Each structure stands twice: as C-alpha cells, then as structure tokens.
Amino acid sequence: MGRHSAVKSGEARVLEGARILVTRSPDRAAPLVNALREAGAEPLLLPLIDFERARDQHSLEVALDALRAGAYSWLVVSSITTVRALKEKAAERRLELKELIPESVRIATIGPSSRRVLEAEGIPVDLAPEDVQSAAGLVSAWPTGPANVLLPQADIADAMLLDGIEAKGASVQAVTAYHTVDYPAAPERRLTAALAAANGWHAGGAGAPELTPEAAKAELSGGRLHAVVAASPSAARRIHASLAPLRDCRFIAIGRSTAAEAAALGIPVAATAKEPTPAGIVAALRTVFDTEGNES
C-alpha cells in the first residue's frame, strides 16, 4: 500500500501515513482536512467543483420576498451551500440570515452539518432525518398533509426531494439558489458569504497542498494516493472524468446518492460514510483500512 506504517486493528491512528485526496475547494475543506490530520492521514486537495450565484436572480428574489411575507410554512435547506446562498441574499438586503426567515416558518434540513451551520446562524431546525441522512431520509420523515414549502437548491438538484415532499401532500416551490460549476468559479459570480463559525467552517483556506488534476493523476498512477473522498454525485462524475481508473485508490462516498452515482459510472465504492460529517468520513476510512490491515 506504500504507507510508512502498517495498518493494525485497534490502533487509534489507523490512517497513519494514508494520503487522502479531498475533492473540495480550500474554503470548504478545512473541517475534513483537520479531522484527517488528527487521524494521522495526509490530506491533499483537488478542487473539482465550485459554486456560483443563481443566474436567475429575479426568481430567487421573488421567492425570498414571498418567504419574508409569510407565504411558506416550511423552508427546506438541503445543503450548506444553500445556507451560503441565502446568507448572501440576506446580506444584500442588509439583514442577518435569521431575519430573512419569519419565526412562523419551520426549517427542514438533511444532514447534521447543515443543521449545525443553521443553528450557528441562530436558526433552529424543526425537522431532520436521524437514521438516513439524505434527501430520501428527509422525505421519509416528512409529515403527511398540506403545506407550502420553499425549496432553494442547486441547478442540478435531483427531483427526488421535491417529488417526495409533494407526494406527502405539500405544495413545493423549487427555485435555483446556486449553480454547480467546474472549479474555479468565475470570480464575479462565486459565492463568497462566510458562515458563522460552526463545524469548522471559515472563509480561509484549508492549509493542505492543492493539486491540479494533472498532478493528482500522476500521484494516482504512481500509487501514492490511498483514497479519494467525494461529497456529491457531481464530484463523483468529475472524479471519473479527471482521474479514472482509480487503480488501488479507494473511493469514499459521502452519502448514498454519491455512492450510487459512482457505482453507475463503474467506480468501485470502498465505503459510504454513515454520517455526512468529517467524523463520519474518517470513520468510513478507518473501516476500510482497518479491514485491509486485518486481511494482510
């Protein structure tokens, strides 16, 4: 495997010497980079996707005006990037994010990271799945009955969340809050809103070496990358386009939708994080390397 120390079952630093490729931009990668270092791994960055403001600002503005006016009973926040997009729109109105959302509006989200960031912004979360932390998990937990729901999301968002909530009897207004693009985003369109200090998020860099796709491919070909972490189906697609075949580099998915996309692309999935958090990703990596250590 090329690491300096062997993987041994039961060791706290079972990832010692493992070189892990994180496919996030520096301002989004810090929590995972820190968690990997604490576990003994060497994180490397390969930013593949980035985020830009919605092209259709008018539709987003209209939806947020309706939100402030009390037209919706629920706001669904499906990602941390959605929080950033909404915070930027609030700042344009010289408001705090929590001031954009009436107290009567209930908040739903998908994962613990989004929940922590929302709560750090002073926004309590009313509904989040406990077992399956994904869009499917939220749909399963969604209450049956009529409701007016605002769903700001990525331009490439899967329709499953919208369709699933509507199937429970709600009326859902989906609006594009941001666009997912190849890294780097256009400077004049890039989302820049800084989140409240929570879950390790901050506006600065992650402090890990940043590779180009060409350099990452060379590291991969030389057997010097032990795992790559993908946080979304779009990241899985870009990993496939930029790096495949992954050879002995293990693919770690953050969530079932990412794992499913990787499998559809023919990428073997070594593990799927049970929780879409830095701790969940480290736990998935430990499981993979600990299992391999026991087999060797």
Side-chain angles (χ1 to χ4, degrees), residues 111-234:
S113 296
S114 298
R115 181 173 198 148
R116 279 193 286 269
V117 167
L118 283 165
E119 290 174 347
E121 294 285 348
I123 301 168
V125 172
D126 300 281
L127 181 65
E130 294 184 3
D131 297 326
V132 181
Q133 293 164 346
S134 65
L138 180 58
V139 168
S140 179
W142 193 270
T144 300
N148 291 322
V149 181
L150 178 60
L151 174 59
Q153 57 186 354
D155 59 316
I156 60 171
D158 191 283
M160 183 185 67
L161 186 56
L162 185 155
D163 293 344
I165 294 175
E166 285 192 333
K168 291 290 189 78
S171 174
V172 181
Q173 174 64 51
V175 61
T176 297
Y178 61 92
H179 289 261
T180 304
V181 299
D182 288 338
Y183 183 87
E188 69 276 12
R189 294 195 296 268
R190 190 170 194 267
L191 282 177
T192 58
L195 297 170
N199 204 37
W201 284 83
H202 55 74
E210 184 175 329
L211 305 182
T212 64
E214 294 76 19
K217 186 73 173 178
E219 292 289 303
L220 186 68
S221 299
R224 295 184 294 274
L225 292 179
H226 303 111
V228 58
V229 178
S232 66
S234 58

Side-chain angles (χ1 to χ4, degrees), residues 246-269:
L246 295 182
R247 306 175 191 272
D248 292 332
C249 181
R250 297 85 168 159
F251 183 97
I252 309 298
I254 304 179
R256 296 182 181 182
S257 60
T258 302
E261 183 68 18
L265 293 166
I267 301 174
V269 178

Side-chain angles (χ1 to χ4, degrees), residues 4-276:
H4 294 299
S5 59
V7 176
K8 296 180 181 178
S9 177
E11 286 189 354
R13 290 170 70 87
V14 70
L15 301 184
E16 191 76 46
R19 304 180 83 229
I20 313 297
L21 193 62
V22 177
T23 56
R24 280 179 165 169
S25 57
D27 63 331
R28 293 170 52 84
L32 181 53
V33 164
N34 293 336
L36 288 169
R37 283 196 175 126
E38 289 175 3
E42 178 187 348
L44 303 165
L45 297 184
L46 175 62
L48 291 177
I49 61 174
D50 211 345
F51 305 99
E52 295 179 354
R53 299 179 188 92
R55 309 279 193 273
D56 185 358
Q57 286 287 301
H58 176 71
S59 294
L60 183 56
E61 291 282 359
V62 169
L64 295 180
D65 285 342
L67 176 68
R68 287 201 75 200
Y72 301 104
S73 53
W74 282 93
L75 171 66
V76 176
V77 178
S78 58
S79 70
I80 290 176
T81 308
T82 300
V83 183
R84 298 184 81 176
L86 295 180
K87 187 169 183 179
E88 192 162 282
K89 298 307 296 181
E92 289 176 5
R93 299 168 183 228
R94 298 184 179 180
L95 298 173
E96 296 293 329
L97 178 55
K98 62 184 178 181
E99 296 174 317
L100 191 66
I101 306 168
E103 291 185 4
S104 60
V105 176
R106 289 185 284 180
I107 307 297
T109 191
I110 287 175
S113 296
S114 298
R115 181 173 198 148
R116 279 193 286 269
V117 167
L118 283 165
E119 290 174 347
E121 294 285 348
I123 301 168
V125 172
D126 300 281
L127 181 65
E130 294 184 3
D131 297 326
V132 181
Q133 293 164 346
S134 65
L138 180 58
V139 168
S140 179
W142 193 270
T144 300
N148 291 322
V149 181
L150 178 60
L151 174 59
Q153 57 186 354
D155 59 316
I156 60 171
D158 191 283
M160 183 185 67
L161 186 56
L162 185 155
D163 293 344
I165 294 175
E166 285 192 333
K168 291 290 189 78
S171 174
V172 181
Q173 174 64 51
V175 61
T176 297
Y178 61 92
H179 289 261
T180 304
V181 299
D182 288 338
Y183 183 87
E188 69 276 12
R189 294 195 296 268
R190 190 170 194 267
L191 282 177
T192 58
L195 297 170
N199 204 37
W201 284 83
H202 55 74
E210 184 175 329
L211 305 182
T212 64
E214 294 76 19
K217 186 73 173 178
E219 292 289 303
L220 186 68
S221 299
R224 295 184 294 274
L225 292 179
H226 303 111
V228 58
V229 178
S232 66
S234 58
R237 291 190 290 271
R238 285 164 173 80
I239 287 169
H240 180 262
S242 301
L243 299 179
L246 295 182
R247 306 175 191 272
D248 292 332
C249 181
R250 297 85 168 159
F251 183 97
I252 309 298
I254 304 179
R256 296 182 181 182
S257 60
T258 302
E261 183 68 18
L265 293 166
I267 301 174
V269 178
T272 301
K274 292 182 179 180
E275 290 190 356

